[in-house]
Amino acid sequence: MKTIDDLLTEGQVAGKRVFVRADLNVPLSGTTITDDGRIRAAVPTITKLVAAGAKVIVASHLGRPKGEPDPQFSLAPVAARLGELLGAEVVFAADTVGDSAQAAVAALADGGVVLLENLRFNADETAKDDAERGAFADRLAALADVYVGDGFGAVHRKHASVFDLPARLPHAAGGLIATEVDVLKKLTTEVKRPYAVVLGGAKVSDKLGVIDHLLDKADRILIGGGMVFTFLKAQGHEVGKSMLQEDQIPVVQEYLKRAEAKGVEFVLPVDVVAAGAFPDLKAQAPTDPVTVNVDAIPADVMGLDIGPKSGELFASKLADAATVFWNGPMGVFEHPDYAEGTRAVAQALIDSPAFTVVGGGDSAAAVRILGFDENAFGHISTGGGASLEYLEGKTLPGLAALED
């Protein structure tokens, strides 16, 4: 896979229009960016291209608009923040391939940057039909001379700007994607052991594929978050009003049997923090949580976090690891009453001598929201779904498209 450094060494970008497919899919509250981590992650590649005298065209999706313009998903606030981080103006085009985009690109000076409006405002970006996606990719290709794929959070999508566009232009991987791939190899083909995996989040069904694959890779799998209650139920525990996917219990029971047969240690919580109702995340008002052992969860409460004894247990299971991958919070970390389990896991990763990887998505958001130093972790991924699919052994369309 050719990288941006190869392009720079070969002198292929000076004066050229370089299309950078970034992942600027940041959370917004109105027009306020609440976590700019993905924008900051895109800056190094863009900076290199600017310094080399390229005319840089940045493109991304944001949210899930329905194939047409929707002001709540506009990238205009992202353009302003990107300009602040670059220390230079970022021209914002009000469309993706229309008059505004064409005029903005035509006016670019060497070292200039333009950000196109949300790619998903055009339905063909995400079309299932190859011809429809291809037609949109043709229009995007007309704007540029070179393609740099740097939106790791989107590489598991077969979308026009991710999969079809690289085939139409000389292409290379940006620095972010190159780093992500190197890290993921350390979790799949170059693993240092013991290898521990921490999985959380709401639904066990979202993680079944990666658990299935990791049963042949990991030494230890720690389970928390809402998904843990399906595991606890599979072991015969009552879980009260906690999140439960009953239809997945047979699959979970089979995984537990396979793990035992393979010598893979499954670690589940021994206590949980629960309440009678889900907390109001907007009000952030104090609640009345109760900590109970997993074999004594009352019928009228729901589990919302792993408990303090579980946090200590998980930390002990990570202390001697050589490699740790973490994807998914341990509880409703957005509320202070249910954040301690996630905080305990994050701190355990920092304290561990292991090579630690935070697998994007809510885990990466939790690290920032809870105030941890991002540099204290080995790597924080920008792509939760992409990381998981890579670990499942799937071929990611956006990476395949960048191969020579």
Side-chain angles (χ1 to χ4, degrees):
M1 182 185 294
K2 180 176 283 190
T3 69
I4 182 175
D5 290 336
D6 296 322
L7 292 180
L8 296 173
T9 299
E10 296 165 4
Q12 293 190 35
V13 303
K16 299 288 185 67
R17 301 171 301 167
V18 180
F19 189 105
V20 178
R21 194 352 176 149
D23 177 13
L24 307 176
N25 184 28
V26 295
L28 294 173
S29 176
T31 59
T32 301
I33 298 166
T34 58
D35 181 356
D36 68 355
R38 284 178 170 169
I39 306 175
R40 288 185 285 111
V43 166
T45 288
I46 296 170
T47 299
K48 282 186 176 183
L49 291 169
V50 167
K55 301 174 180 180
V56 185
I57 306 155
V58 184
S60 177
H61 70 286
L62 192 153
R64 296 179 181 271
K66 298 179 180 179
E68 59 186 25
D70 185 337
Q72 68 176 318
F73 296 115
S74 175
L75 281 166
V78 175
R81 180 58 179 148
L82 181 59
E84 291 173 356
L85 292 168
L86 292 173
E89 180 188 10
V90 171
V91 176
F92 181 64
D95 54 31
T96 53
V97 291
D99 292 343
S100 179
Q102 292 176 36
V105 172
L108 268 179
D110 292 355
V113 181
V114 61
L115 175 63
L116 305 181
E117 182 55 285
N118 193 334
L119 290 162
R120 292 185 184 174
F121 284 1
N122 189 307
D124 291 341
E125 163 69 2
T126 60
K128 302 292 186 184
D129 183 271
D130 292 349
E132 292 174 2
R133 281 199 329 276
F136 184 52
D138 287 339
R139 298 181 70 187
L140 290 172
L143 297 173
D145 305 304
V146 179
Y147 176 93
V148 172
D150 210 34
F152 180 73
V155 293
H156 58 315
R157 306 298 188 192
K158 194 176 182 181
H159 292 170
S161 65
V162 176
F163 178 75
D164 302 274
L165 184 53
R168 288 158 168 79
L169 294 169
H171 53 265
L176 177 60
I177 279 186
T179 298
E180 294 273 11
V181 171
D182 285 344
V183 167
L184 288 169
K185 286 179 179 177
K186 294 179 181 178
L187 300 177
T188 51
T189 59
E190 304 167 5
V191 184
K192 292 183 178 179
R193 299 186 179 280
Y195 178 19
V197 176
V198 187
L199 297 176
K203 295 181 179 180
V204 68
S205 56
D206 293 341
K207 302 293 197 304
L208 288 178
V210 72
I211 293 172
D212 183 45
H213 202 67
L214 286 170
L215 285 173
D216 293 321
K217 302 281 186 182
D219 299 300
R220 230 171 265 156
I221 300 176
L222 289 64
I223 304 291
M227 63 185 282
V228 79
F229 297 102
T230 303
F231 280 86
L232 293 174
K233 186 72 171 180
Q235 290 187 326
H237 298 299
E238 292 303 321
V239 297
K241 298 192 297 182
S242 305
M243 176 170 286
L244 177 65
Q245 290 185 283
E246 295 237 26
D247 60 322
Q248 301 299 333
I249 288 176
V251 180
V252 167
Q253 289 173 329
E254 176 61 27
Y255 283 177
L256 290 170
K257 290 178 183 176
R258 282 177 55 197
E260 185 176 4
K262 289 176 174 290
V264 177
E265 184 181 8
F266 251 99
V267 183
L268 301 180
V270 293
D271 61 346
V272 297
V273 181
F278 196 88
D280 185 335
L281 299 182
K282 288 187 177 179
Q284 292 285 296
T287 63
D288 190 20
V290 57
T291 300
V292 295
N293 290 338
V294 296
D295 59 359
I297 299 175
D300 60 347
V301 302
M302 61 176 65
L304 297 168
D305 192 15
I306 64 170
K309 289 187 290 187
S310 300
E312 293 175 3
L313 172 65
F314 282 22
S316 72
K317 296 295 184 179
L318 299 175
D320 67 341
T323 303
V324 180
F325 173 73
W326 171 34
N327 180 276
M330 298 295 99
V332 186
F333 72 91
E334 300 92 339
H335 193 285
D337 288 348
Y338 309 101
E340 291 310 305
T342 301
R343 188 186 305 278
V345 166
Q347 187 62 52
L349 263 67
I350 291 174
D351 294 341
S352 170
F355 174 65
T356 57
V357 179
V358 181
D362 285 342
S363 308
V367 164
R368 290 188 278 268
I369 289 171
L370 297 178
F372 287 97
D373 179 2
E374 294 180 52
N375 294 321
F377 301 87
H379 178 71
I380 297 181
S381 178
T382 56
S387 296
L388 288 176
E389 290 199 15
Y390 190 101
L391 292 183
E392 286 180 45
K394 292 183 178 180
T395 297
L396 306 188
L399 295 185
L402 294 174
E403 298 289 348
D404 294 328

